[in-house]
Amino acid sequence: MNAVRFNILGPLEVLAGGRPVHLGGPRPRATMALLLLNDGHAVSVERLIDLVWGDDPPQSARGQVAIAVSGLRRALKLAGADPALIETVGAGYRVLAPSLDAREAEELIARARRSAPEQGAPLLEQALGLWRGPVLEGLGRVTDAAERWSELRPAVHEEWAGLELELGRHAEVIDRLAAFVAEHPLRERSRAQLMLALHRCGRRAEALELYRSGHQLLAEELGLEPGTELRELHQAILLDDPGLQARRDDRGGPVPSELPADPAAFTGRTEELKRLATLLGEGRAVIAAIAGAGGMGKSALAVKAAHLAAHEFPDGHLYVNLHGSTPGVEPVQPVEVLGRFLRSFGVPPDEVPDNPDEAAGRFRSLTSRRRVLVVLDNALDSAQVRPLLPAGAGCAVVVTSRGVLSTLDGATHLRLTPLAEEEAAAMVPGSPAERAELVRLCGGLPLALRIVAAQLAADPGTAPADLIVKLADERRRLDALQQDDLAVRAGLALSVQRLAPEDARLFAALGVLDAYTFTPALAGAMLGRETESGFARLTAAGLLEPLGPGGSGSLRYGTHDLILLHARELAAALDDRDELLDRGANCYFATTITVHAAMQAGELTGLEGHEPTHPGLPLATAEQAVAWLDAETPDLVTASLQLLREPRWYPLGVRLARTLGRVLLHRGGIRELTLLAGESVAAARAAGDTEQLAESHNMYGVALLITGRLAEGVAQVESATALWKALDDRPRQASALSNMAMAHLRMGRPDRAIAAMDEAVAIRREAGDGEGLADALDNLGILHARTGDLDRALVLAQEALDLRRGLRLTRAQGVSYTNLADLYRMRGEPRLGLGCLDEALALARTHGDQLTEAAIQWQLGDTRAELGDEPEARLAWAGSVAILVDSGLMTADEGEAHLAQPRPGPPGPIGRGM
């Protein structure tokens, strides 16, 4: 893949392998610019629409955004770059820009502000060089949204000029300051800087004239007098104040070298070492704060980086283990460390202050004119670290801790995550497949991998395959990960022991449900109290990691697999584990029912007498409901499987699975639906629950039919039909007959399809089931259309639409509209169907039904193609594919290949849709 560079500090520019990427017209360029302005953060589709179109967006705006994103991904791919840099996040998108000029500018500015003037000035000059012209010029409303970056440049220029003047380089900056003042004549600070530079160069008259012209300009343009700074400088120049002249200054004991031995066998962390090498080699005051869970390899990385950079610090290298997270050892007090540091620099023991503040002050004085490297390993918190920071502008500190030291001013934070697969595999022996499996079971945790390697080295009779078998048992994995004085569980246990009791209970509660991500909203429902602050403290302790928006008004968090296993161990020991599980599962159940209602996902039956016993989360709008579902789906599925597999929780699990299955079907979550339905069949059969077995067979059959596994799907639906017939459940029997009919049609059996659907219609009419009858009429109409009886099909489709209008079934009306549009096209009257498709598209978007939206977009493209409007047809097809790619139902490569066909047919996920 080509390396990609994104530039927004000027006209929008994307470079792949150093060559410009053609992004397309104004809309895709505006979309890309807005995503880059929100560097790494998701931008909702609504926000994109608002900034691209303003107050009057077209009805097709959402589709056009999807098309723009799809086009941008395609442009990246054609340029040899990774299209996955544009990521779908909930109901929006973000760009994971590996290189962005604006981010680089911010980092340079931040480094400059933490540095001495000698290092700060060139850093600011480097940052200024990143501006290539007006920010995002020519992109209308997007240019307005970039105003912060336009205003930042003159402010940074003034900072740079201030440092240059402080360093006595007044002669060197005059020409650049003069050009800048001409460009920004009303900026008083820049005018003052130029006046001072001129005065220091003996050009007093020019400085005074610059004040006079500025005074006149301010009066004429703004009706204002010059500000205090400008007036006082003018007065000082008139008096030839000697205080206006530049000032400069000047700068010997033992040189400690206390780093632990260089870890020669150190493996991996290539990117992290590069970043630390860059930081430590900048010749300025640096604090590199490395954070990560226990066993993540923080200490080894810090010591390795310190050895690699040691030559940059000729005045000494200090190291101390602060024991912030050492089992059985109390954290070291700062005053004790300061005494050691001072003695290392030759301070006699009887002259080392006992008072912590005096000792810290003496240390700062000693280091103020030295270049010293200090490694503070295993820190407890920022308060333990602050007194130990040296004062020299050329000193650097590397500090490690489990939690992020967020209140450590001026620190550059480096959060360690598990090792990349290739780096981790180098730590253990075995075949490539065995090493990959050991890495997976250890979650890439360096400590766990060290233990595995030590175990295999200590016992030549144990093969990697034997250890894989032991580690595969999740319940005993932490038992297996210990060797001599190394143990994963011990390190994790210490992190939990240092928590306040309520936070330790919160951590254990996160292991109750089989989930892999967590939100304060659900945890609060389980524990009956506020948990936002507790999540923040667990994050600070290195036990959780923020992942992004949680879909319920709070952040979503994750953790390492081995930390999660420890939480589940602690959860199993809770006295009220079952009560917490009951609350959490019922909260999921109740919230999923809310989502089902918001999505109008059809009738929800079989819950009578089994309603949730605890309230769900508050979701005020359909958009919030869909966002929560999208964020929570993986954990909803795993929690449902957990309940289905435990006999005690089966009744709750099967109803959660049933409700979740309905919304997954309408949201296009077919892969998750297939897994869930298959497990539901097995659980219902094991429980001897005939009614739920029939429902599960039907749900599983629908999922299989959508994915193209027709024979398996028909077998499942036939099983459901037989069971409902035995139970004399006529309405559900009719549902299964409808599914079976459509499957028979797909398998080339039109007569069997019509017979099954006629039976379904008769059952619905007999029962007076208006909603079910409309569905059956629609399907029967499709069958007649496929066999050539278009007049009969139109009558049936219109009857279905009338029924749905009468019952106010807005979602289902969309089905009727698409059927009518299809029938008009088949009769050779495609233009009559365009209005129907517009109605259907608006309804699908209202309900967040992505699979249906994709199908309608494709149908709209087909209709436009028949009318001879190829450009509009291609636009609609691209919008459909963009939705399918974003939903994970097609890969980007598959989508591009499909659209490259001269006249593409419907893609598989919607071509197979029921």
Side-chain angles (χ1 to χ4, degrees):
M1 289 284 180
N2 282 327
V4 185
R5 167 75 170 183
F6 296 90
N7 294 321
I8 62 173
L9 300 181
L12 176 63
E13 181 180 63
V14 179
L15 304 172
R19 296 181 177 182
V21 177
H22 179 64
L23 300 176
R27 235 167 249 139
R29 294 177 63 78
T31 302
M32 175 64 85
L34 289 168
L35 295 176
L36 291 171
L37 283 171
N38 290 271
D39 183 20
H41 297 281
V43 184
S44 69
V45 172
E46 287 71 21
R47 178 72 175 147
L48 290 170
I49 291 171
D50 179 57
L51 286 169
V52 173
W53 281 280
D55 296 330
D56 190 27
Q59 276 196 332
S60 60
R62 290 183 68 88
Q64 291 193 43
V65 168
I67 292 165
V69 170
S70 179
L72 290 170
R73 286 175 173 149
R74 192 157 53 251
L76 289 173
K77 183 170 178 59
L78 289 172
D82 186 0
L85 290 175
I86 305 177
E87 194 175 65
T88 302
V89 182
Y93 304 95
R94 69 179 170 194
V95 172
L96 302 175
S99 176
L100 174 64
D101 60 353
R103 188 195 311 135
E104 189 177 322
E106 278 192 322
E107 290 170 354
L108 288 166
I109 293 162
R111 283 166 52 194
R113 289 170 178 169
R114 294 194 301 266
S115 302
E118 292 90 339
Q119 291 83 38
L123 289 171
L124 290 178
E125 187 168 19
Q126 190 179 341
L128 288 167
L130 295 171
W131 271 268
R132 298 167 292 110
V135 176
L136 296 175
E137 186 177 20
L139 290 179
R141 293 169 59 84
V142 178
T143 305
D144 297 338
E147 187 177 357
R148 178 175 88 86
W149 292 102
S150 299
E151 293 175 348
L152 182 61
R153 177 179 169 266
V156 172
H157 190 280
E158 289 171 346
E159 280 190 64
W160 165 78
L163 293 180
E164 292 287 341
L165 290 169
E166 185 179 341
L167 292 167
R169 298 173 184 157
H170 32 272
E172 292 91 329
V173 300
I174 284 179
D175 288 345
R176 283 181 60 176
L177 273 173
F180 189 81
V181 169
E183 184 183 351
H184 302 276
L186 297 175
R187 293 192 73 91
E188 294 189 37
R189 187 180 177 199
S190 295
R191 188 173 291 269
Q193 290 170 332
L194 180 54
M195 287 170 60
L196 179 59
L198 290 167
H199 174 68
R200 286 181 177 176
C201 289
R203 297 161 66 176
R204 189 169 170 222
E206 291 175 67
L208 294 171
E209 172 57 27
L210 189 63
Y211 175 81
R212 187 201 64 75
S213 62
H215 189 174
Q216 182 178 343
L217 186 67
L218 285 166
E220 291 174 353
E221 296 282 333
L222 304 176
L224 296 174
E225 288 291 309
T228 303
E229 179 185 3
L230 208 55
R231 292 199 312 273
E232 289 180 352
L233 177 61
H234 177 241
Q235 189 65 25
I237 292 172
L238 286 171
L239 297 173
D240 200 13
D241 187 341
L244 296 180
Q245 295 307 313
R247 295 188 294 272
R248 283 287 345 141
D249 94 351
D250 112 356
R251 98 200 257 235
V255 178
S257 184
E258 301 179 352
L259 295 178
D262 188 355
F266 185 88
T267 301
R269 301 293 185 200
T270 306
E271 290 305 315
E272 291 88 346
L273 278 173
K274 281 183 186 174
R275 187 174 175 196
L276 287 168
T278 301
L279 279 171
L280 298 177
E282 287 176 350
R284 63 177 181 86
V286 165
I287 304 172
I290 305 171
M296 203 61 77
K298 303 179 294 294
S299 298
L301 174 63
V303 171
K304 186 67 180 178
H307 274 282
L308 291 173
H311 64 281
E312 301 274 358
F313 302 92
D315 300 323
H317 317 129
L318 299 171
Y319 171 89
V320 65
N321 185 342
L322 296 173
H323 293 299
S325 301
T326 305
V329 180
E330 285 298 309
V332 183
Q333 293 300 310
V335 70
E336 183 181 336
V337 179
L338 288 165
R340 199 178 113 188
F341 283 177
L342 291 172
R343 291 189 294 273
S344 295
F345 277 113
V347 177
D350 58 346
E351 292 182 20
V352 173
D354 294 326
N355 180 282
D357 291 339
E358 289 181 22
R362 184 75 180 270
F363 179 61
R364 289 194 294 273
S365 295
L366 268 173
T367 56
S368 63
R369 283 178 170 75
R370 286 180 164 94
R371 288 179 55 77
V372 177
L373 174 61
V374 182
V375 179
L376 304 174
D377 195 14
N378 197 7
L380 177 65
D381 53 26
S382 298
Q384 187 188 30
V385 169
R386 283 193 199 97
L388 309 179
L389 300 177
C395 292
V397 177
V398 181
V399 57
T400 73
S401 61
R402 293 204 171 181
V404 176
L405 303 181
S406 56
T407 58
L408 193 59
D409 293 340
T412 297
H413 295 283
L414 183 62
R415 185 99 189 220
L416 293 193
T417 56
L419 287 170
E421 187 173 335
E422 187 176 334
E423 292 183 334
M427 293 185 68
V428 292
S431 69
E434 288 170 334
R435 289 183 357 219
E437 184 62 7
L438 287 170
V439 169
R440 186 188 71 80
L441 292 169
C442 292
L445 188 73
L447 175 59
L449 293 164
R450 276 182 64 200
I451 291 171
V452 165
Q455 289 174 338
L456 292 171
D459 183 4
T462 299
D466 301 326
L467 202 49
I468 287 169
V469 172
K470 286 176 66 177
L471 294 172
D473 184 351
E474 284 192 354
R475 296 165 300 176
R476 304 187 58 179
R477 189 176 301 167
L478 293 178
D479 294 328
L481 288 172
Q482 51 188 1
Q483 177 76 8
D484 297 334
D485 62 339
L486 299 177
V488 172
R489 182 186 281 114
L492 296 177
L494 181 69
S495 291
V496 178
Q497 289 164 17
R498 292 201 184 279
L499 297 172
E502 66 270 21
D503 293 336
R505 175 167 163 75
L506 170 60
F507 177 70
L510 298 181
V512 168
L513 281 170
D514 280 358
Y516 291 89
T517 65
F518 317 97
T519 62
L522 181 63
M526 293 170 68
L527 292 167
R529 61 179 171 86
E530 181 273 331
T531 60
E532 293 266 6
S533 56
F535 269 72
R537 289 189 291 271
L538 291 180
T539 301
L543 293 169
L544 290 180
E545 178 91 28
L547 300 177
S552 54
S554 60
L555 280 176
R556 180 168 299 278
Y557 295 78
T559 191
H560 188 275
D561 289 352
L562 296 178
I563 296 176
L564 180 56
L565 286 181
H566 188 52
R568 289 179 180 170
E569 286 184 344
L570 297 175
L574 291 172
D575 293 337
D576 58 347
R577 184 244 183 201
D578 285 353
E579 182 182 346
L580 292 174
L581 191 151
D582 184 55
R583 287 181 187 168
N586 271 285
C587 179
Y588 263 160
F589 185 22
T591 310
T592 306
I593 290 174
T594 300
V595 173
H596 182 278
M599 293 181 69
Q600 294 189 25
E603 186 182 4
L604 194 57
T605 58
L607 303 185
E608 302 79 9
H610 299 282
E611 292 82 6
T613 57
H614 295 283
L617 303 178
L619 302 172
T621 65
E623 289 76 15
Q624 288 180 7
V626 169
W628 180 85
L629 175 67
D630 287 346
E632 204 75 47
T633 288
D635 293 319
L636 280 166
V637 171
T638 55
S640 299
L641 297 180
Q642 174 190 8
L643 298 171
L644 287 169
R645 291 165 182 167
E646 294 188 31
R648 174 178 178 183
W649 298 104
Y650 163 78
L652 176 56
V654 78
R655 284 161 180 82
L656 172 58
R658 184 172 181 165
T659 310
L660 178 59
R662 291 294 188 98
V663 295
L664 288 175
L665 177 62
H666 282 270
R667 188 64 179 151
I670 307 305
R671 286 176 298 182
E672 294 88 351
L673 174 62
T674 305
L675 171 64
L676 187 62
E679 288 284 343
S680 296
V681 168
R685 184 180 289 120
D689 187 345
T690 306
E691 181 184 350
Q692 290 297 338
L693 181 58
E695 179 70 32
S696 300
H697 273 307
N698 189 58
M699 184 166 65
Y700 194 24
V702 169
L704 291 170
L705 291 170
I706 290 175
T707 56
R709 295 160 64 181
L710 300 181
E712 296 171 81
V714 167
Q716 291 291 327
V717 175
E718 284 176 341
S719 295
T721 305
L723 288 170
W724 276 326
K725 194 167 187 176
L727 291 168
D728 196 28
D729 190 329
R730 302 278 283 165
R732 291 187 195 167
Q733 186 183 346
S735 295
L737 284 164
S738 294
N739 291 334
M740 197 186 306
M742 302 309 289
H744 281 311
L745 180 65
R746 298 261 311 282
M747 297 174 77
R749 305 167 181 168
D751 292 341
R752 291 176 67 177
I754 289 176
M757 194 58 71
D758 278 334
E759 188 178 351
V761 167
I763 291 173
R764 298 296 191 187
R765 285 196 194 279
E766 177 188 318
D769 176 6
E771 183 176 355
L773 176 58
D775 292 341
L777 288 168
D778 252 344
N779 289 334
L780 184 58
I782 291 170
L783 295 175
H784 280 290
R786 298 289 173 84
T787 56
D789 191 351
L790 296 178
D791 291 338
R792 175 69 177 147
L794 269 173
V795 170
L796 292 167
Q798 189 61 54
E799 184 183 354
L801 177 59
D802 293 342
L803 279 168
R804 286 163 175 159
R805 281 173 172 162
L807 295 169
R808 296 185 179 179
L809 301 171
T810 55
R811 178 188 289 276
Q813 285 174 40
V815 176
S816 290
Y817 281 122
T818 55
N819 286 342
L820 284 168
D822 209 22
L823 291 170
Y824 282 128
R825 190 163 60 86
M826 292 169 73
R827 281 166 56 103
E829 303 170 307
R831 196 171 297 280
L832 293 176
L834 289 176
C836 296
L837 290 174
D838 286 341
E839 293 281 354
L841 200 56
L843 290 166
R845 287 170 179 160
T846 298
H847 294 291
D849 191 341
Q850 290 182 310
L851 196 61
T852 299
E853 183 181 348
I856 296 168
Q857 282 271 41
W858 197 272
Q859 192 173 348
L860 189 58
D862 286 346
T863 304
R864 291 289 187 190
E866 286 203 17
L867 291 168
D869 192 345
E870 185 73 14
E872 286 295 322
R874 289 278 169 190
L875 202 61
W877 290 332
S880 176
V881 166
I883 294 169
L884 296 175
V885 170
D886 290 346
S887 301
L889 294 172
M890 292 182 83
T891 66
D893 286 344
E894 289 170 343
E896 285 189 29
H898 198 83
L899 290 172
Q901 298 175 55
R903 179 61 193 273
I910 53 177
R912 296 190 289 260
M914 294 299 293

